[in-house]
Amino acid sequence: MKPSVPIPPSEITPYHLYLSRREFLKAAGIVSAGALLAAACGVQPSSESGSVATPVAPSVSAQTDELGDPLNTYEEITTYNNYYEFTTDKQRVARLAENFKTSPWEVEVGGLVHKPQTFGLEDLLKKFPSEERIYRMRCVEAWSMVIPWQGFPLASLLEAVEPTSEAKYVRFEAVYDPDAMPGQKSKFYPWPYTEGLRLDEAMHDLTIMATGLYGAPLLPQSGAPLRLVVPWKYGFKSIKGVVKIELTKFPPETLWNTVAPQEYGFYANVNPQVDHPRWSQATERRIGEAHRRPTLMFNGYEAEVASLYEGMDLRRNF
Ligand code: MTE
């Protein structure tokens, strides 16, 4: 993965300014709801009904995570993205993904399960009520954000298909659509993007399938309409645009582990003591902050997840 490109502070609208601009525009009555979101994201809707997702007022239950750190702004979260299917340039993903079609959408859930099933997105939303989770996201490139997701525990979905006793791992596959995703024309990456978890990691309550953020449906750049979020692991595990989930007996191959196994392990737990071969993981840059901050073991979720790795050598199983 390339080193991250710093965002000049001038490019980021603080949340309060974003809100006041939005309130001003609303009071002035001069723009549609679609245009408001587009203004927030720095993208233009293609029509009044818009190809961008219908916006709602950003709605969250808290302004900080449980450690007291402020949420990143909607604008930061939706304009600085890693989504290699579109481009490796974080600040161009939103625009390139703007017209990506995320409906209709189906997810096939199968492999070592008693009740394989293909779910339409609406079925998923109906069957698994969404809840808010405010999580830190720590990219392996050493930048981070605090994001208020909406989603449901992956465990509920896996329970619905009833894994067999042979199932030990979960494989995730992202959408493959090179006509709509220009980055997939690159022969360097083994598309589609794939990821994997051990079954107990996948069943952990912190692991969610996200469908929204800040109270609005996910935009394409964030992995709409459905992405994985595993907050104690480096961000690359949180695969976007999921179309297939498969229970397996053996650890599945993953895109990053295939491309550079010496750099990206299967576990990819956030660990400030185990450096990336090309840079330190001891500190990180929170998007919107000037100074680096220490990286926390398991990204600050040690109390919840350390027991999953008891007795394992975390240097070897990185
Ligand atoms: N999922 C897919 N399908 N393609 C990607 O390129 N990038 C990963 C992850 N999920 C990626 C992906 C990486 S490296 C990170 S850090 C996070 O998505 C970034 O998520 P965000 O853009 O919502 O912050």
Coordinates of all heavy atoms in Angstrom, one line a residue, residues 13-25 57-58 63:
T13 N -13.5 20.6 6.1 CA -14.4 21.5 6.7 C -14.7 20.9 8.1 O -15.2 19.8 8.2 CB -15.7 21.6 5.9 OG1 -15.4 21.9 4.6 CG2 -16.6 22.6 6.5
P14 N -14.5 21.7 9.2 CA -14.8 21.1 10.5 C -16.3 20.9 10.6 O -17.1 21.6 9.9 CB -14.4 22.2 11.5 CG -13.5 23.1 10.7 CD -13.8 23.0 9.3
Y15 N -16.8 20.0 11.4 CA -18.1 19.6 11.5 C -19.1 20.8 11.7 O -20.1 20.9 11.1 CB -18.3 18.5 12.6 CG -19.6 17.9 12.7 CD1 -20.2 17.3 11.5 CD2 -20.4 17.9 13.8 CE1 -21.4 16.7 11.6 CE2 -21.6 17.3 13.9 CZ -22.1 16.7 12.8 OH -23.4 16.1 12.9
H16 N -18.7 21.7 12.7 CA -19.6 22.8 13.0 C -19.7 23.7 11.8 O -20.8 24.2 11.6 CB -19.1 23.5 14.3 CG -17.8 24.2 14.1 ND1 -16.6 23.6 14.2 CD2 -17.5 25.5 13.8 CE1 -15.6 24.5 14.0 NE2 -16.2 25.6 13.8
L17 N -18.7 23.8 11.0 CA -18.8 24.7 9.8 C -19.6 24.1 8.8 O -20.5 24.7 8.1 CB -17.4 25.0 9.2 CG -16.5 26.0 10.1 CD1 -15.3 26.3 9.3 CD2 -17.3 27.3 10.3
Y18 N -19.5 22.8 8.6 CA -20.3 22.0 7.7 C -21.8 22.2 8.1 O -22.6 22.5 7.2 CB -19.9 20.5 7.7 CG -21.0 19.6 7.2 CD1 -21.5 19.8 5.9 CD2 -21.4 18.6 8.0 CE1 -22.5 18.9 5.5 CE2 -22.4 17.7 7.5 CZ -22.9 17.9 6.3 OH -23.9 17.0 5.8
L19 N -22.1 22.0 9.4 CA -23.4 22.2 9.8 C -24.0 23.6 9.6 O -25.1 23.8 9.1 CB -23.6 21.8 11.3 CG -23.6 20.3 11.6 CD1 -23.9 20.1 13.1 CD2 -24.7 19.6 10.8
S20 N -23.1 24.6 9.9 CA -23.7 25.9 9.8 C -23.9 26.3 8.3 O -24.8 26.9 8.0 CB -22.8 27.0 10.5 OG -21.4 26.8 10.2
R21 N -23.0 25.8 7.5 CA -23.2 26.0 6.0 C -24.5 25.4 5.6 O -25.3 26.0 4.8 CB -22.0 25.4 5.2 CG -22.1 25.7 3.8 CD -20.8 25.3 3.1 NE -20.6 23.8 3.1 CZ -19.5 23.2 2.8 NH1 -18.4 23.9 2.5 NH2 -19.4 21.9 2.8
R22 N -24.7 24.2 6.1 CA -25.9 23.4 5.7 C -27.1 24.2 6.2 O -28.1 24.3 5.4 CB -25.8 22.1 6.4 CG -26.8 21.1 5.9 CD -26.5 19.7 6.5 NE -27.5 18.8 5.9 CZ -28.7 18.7 6.3 NH1 -29.2 19.5 7.3 NH2 -29.5 17.9 5.7
E23 N -27.1 24.6 7.5 CA -28.2 25.4 8.0 C -28.5 26.6 7.2 O -29.6 27.0 6.9 CB -28.0 25.7 9.5 CG -28.1 24.5 10.4 CD -29.2 23.6 10.2 OE1 -30.4 24.1 10.1 OE2 -29.1 22.4 10.0
F24 N -27.4 27.3 6.8 CA -27.5 28.5 6.1 C -28.2 28.3 4.7 O -29.2 28.9 4.3 CB -26.1 29.2 5.8 CG -26.2 30.2 4.8 CD1 -26.7 31.5 5.0 CD2 -25.7 30.0 3.5 CE1 -26.7 32.5 4.1 CE2 -25.7 30.9 2.5 CZ -26.2 32.2 2.8
L25 N -27.7 27.2 4.1 CA -28.3 26.9 2.7 C -29.8 26.5 2.9 O -30.6 26.9 2.1 CB -27.5 25.8 2.1 CG -26.1 26.1 1.7 CD1 -25.3 24.9 1.3 CD2 -26.0 27.1 0.6
A57 N -30.3 14.6 7.7 CA -29.4 15.4 8.6 C -28.5 14.4 9.3 O -28.9 13.4 9.8 CB -30.3 16.1 9.5
P58 N -27.2 14.8 9.4 CA -26.3 13.9 10.1 C -26.9 13.6 11.5 O -27.2 14.6 12.2 CB -25.0 14.7 10.2 CG -25.1 15.6 9.1 CD -26.5 15.9 8.9
Q63 N -21.0 12.8 20.4 CA -20.0 13.6 19.5 C -18.6 13.1 19.7 O -17.7 13.6 19.0 CB -20.1 15.1 20.0 CG -21.4 15.8 19.7 CD -21.8 15.7 18.3 OE1 -21.0 15.8 17.3 NE2 -23.1 15.5 18.0

